[in-house]
Amino acid sequence: MWAFQSPKTTLLPSHATFLPRPSLKPPICSIALNPTASTADNNKLIQSLCKQGNLTQALKLLSHEPNPTQHTYELLLLSCSHQNSLLDAQRVHRHLLENGFDQDPFLATKLINMYSFLDSIDNARKVFDKTQNRTIYVYNALFRALSLAGHGEEVLNMYRGMNSIGIPSDRFTYTYVLKACVASEFLVSLLNKGKEIHAHILRHGYDGYVHIMTTLVDMYAKFGCVSNASCVFNQMPVKNVVSWSAMIACYAKNGKAFEALELFRELMLESQDLCPNSVTMVSVLQACAALAALEQGRLIHGYILRKGLDSILPVISALVTMYARCGKLELGQRVFDQMDKRDVVSWNSLISSYGVHGFGKKAIGIFEEMTYNGVEPSPISFVSVLGACSHAGLVDEGKMLFKSMHVAHGICPSVEHYACMVDLLGRANRLEEAAKIIENMRIEPGPKVWGSLLGSCRIHCNVELAERASIRLFDLEPTNAGNYVLLADIYAEAGMWDEVKRVKKLLEARGLQKVPGRSWIEVKRKIYSFVSVDEVNPQMEQLHALLVKLSMELKEEGYVPQTKVVLYDLKAAEKERIVLGHSEKLAVAFGLINSSKGEVIRITKSLRLCEDCHSFTKFISKFANKEILVRDVNRFHHFRDGVCSCGDYW
């Protein structure tokens, strides 16, 4: 029973009649074909219904139309995609075949596009296989469908066959086959295919098409070939905002955050007619996060607000991450709290943010809040929350979450999830249990899993397991110098100097070099970079002198240099000199000289923070009364009053 009160009630006589309220929408009624109308009129009626989104009625009328046109079928197929209806799609397909359009190459492309949209790649293949007149447009349609479905190698094999029968590529073909190179796993063989396609593009004069060259930049970027991508970008005669965004993203995602910000600065200064879009801003924010460049990030945030990009979810999620990675977790939380809408990416950003700061239980709480709010976790959600458990040493909680992936959420663990579990158990010195997980994996472990085990062996100096892991890694990643260095570190800590020499000889024989650690610090909105052997900075002599002075004073306070990280059998004094030149110490000294009183020193390091730098920075924070934030490759270290937020667990 409905009841409401009105300020004025008008009583109507009992004999009063009510006229029906006019409808705001036209009534849905059955439409029948006019038997006296022409075929052209009937086709137009079906086409009109498709454009209105009334697929059901259009299909009813189709069954009575003896001569549907090509355009009618085109709109019906498009309408099936819009309605996301595979059953209707197959019905239209059957009708199309019965009416003699089975060899129409134009409709074949539309059928392939439709089945691709409906995630029915097998049906798309069947259309292609049964089409005898395969034009370049039919090939392009299937190339696109297969690339989107992750069947890159199949595309490249078909492309080779297409070339062998003399069908010339067009500008769309090159875009699709380049995307196919990165649609599957990033194999070296597919990179070589990409380089061959690059040669085809140059040979056939397609290097003037901006979208082809931008796709080429993106292809090289995804293989980590930054120099190749940069070369293509620099030689482009015309660049649009997508081209600039692709190159900035290439730098940001391949450990070249400094270069990403420099290129963005160049875009803003030299290309005033181009306006960065949301994709550009996400990459720029990722670069700021990688360098802990808080002031740069704040400037970018202001630009985002001025340009009205603050309503775009990927941009806001990147802002959450940026503030957290710059040590301002509370600002990241504030941005998240002010979001009108949140998707799983937004939640993942916040979970990961608390994780890298060591707040594992808080990260788990946010994960649970996300699921309570009806947001289904993605595979990345579990990578984030398992990583948070690893940094906080929450082994039992991590094991329960890992089990819930398949049981509660129907997600099969990937290599990344197993790597998180190995890291979680390994850090907690449960190395045999970690090794057992690897043995029981139903998928190939790969370098990420074995790398997690080797990293854990480095923390706990487990030589036996380290050797097992390194054998697999040397086979899987023969050119990754970091694996050789980790094994040498473990041998050095165990005092096995002959083995250290053997690994170093192996490193030299394969033409590999240890990548020196690099640290970044932002001072007065400028970013400065330091490496252990850096002699470029004009203040270098002053920095070394300060570090020597501080080291002597800190020893009186109880500081003992941790020289086990030096891979040379040298005297103690020489080892101390080497560890004193580590990039993170240089950045700390630079921060002490160039920062004002009360200002937080923020540093980012490309490698794991070594034991000596960790101990040294703890003493500095107390001795100099400075708050120091250091983010290494794994997590945040918040030094204050001689204590680190990691609790010496990293």
Side-chain angles (χ1 to χ4, degrees), residues 463-528:
V463 175
E464 182 185 349
L465 276 178
E467 289 175 336
R468 279 174 56 189
S470 61
I471 288 170
R472 299 302 301 270
L473 284 166
F474 294 166
D475 182 49
L476 291 166
E477 296 181 317
T479 60
N480 185 346
N483 296 325
Y484 299 86
V485 173
L486 268 179
L487 181 61
D489 280 345
I490 295 164
Y491 283 140
E493 187 171 349
M496 302 168 67
W497 295 107
D498 288 340
E499 292 301 316
V500 172
K501 291 176 184 176
R502 181 182 65 81
V503 174
K504 288 174 71 176
K505 284 181 180 178
L506 186 61
L507 197 67
E508 291 170 4
R510 295 190 175 180
L512 303 175
Q513 285 187 329
K514 177 183 176 181
V515 179
R518 182 176 291 274
S519 295
W520 296 268
I521 182 171
E522 184 184 35
V523 175
K524 296 178 175 63
R525 294 183 178 175
K526 286 187 69 177
I527 299 166
Y528 298 86

Side-chain angles (χ1 to χ4, degrees), residues 630-644:
V630 180
R631 198 186 80 232
D632 69 7
V633 71
N634 293 319
R635 60 161 298 153
F636 253 98
H637 300 267
H638 193 162
F639 298 95
R640 182 189 290 164
D641 297 327
V643 178
C644 179

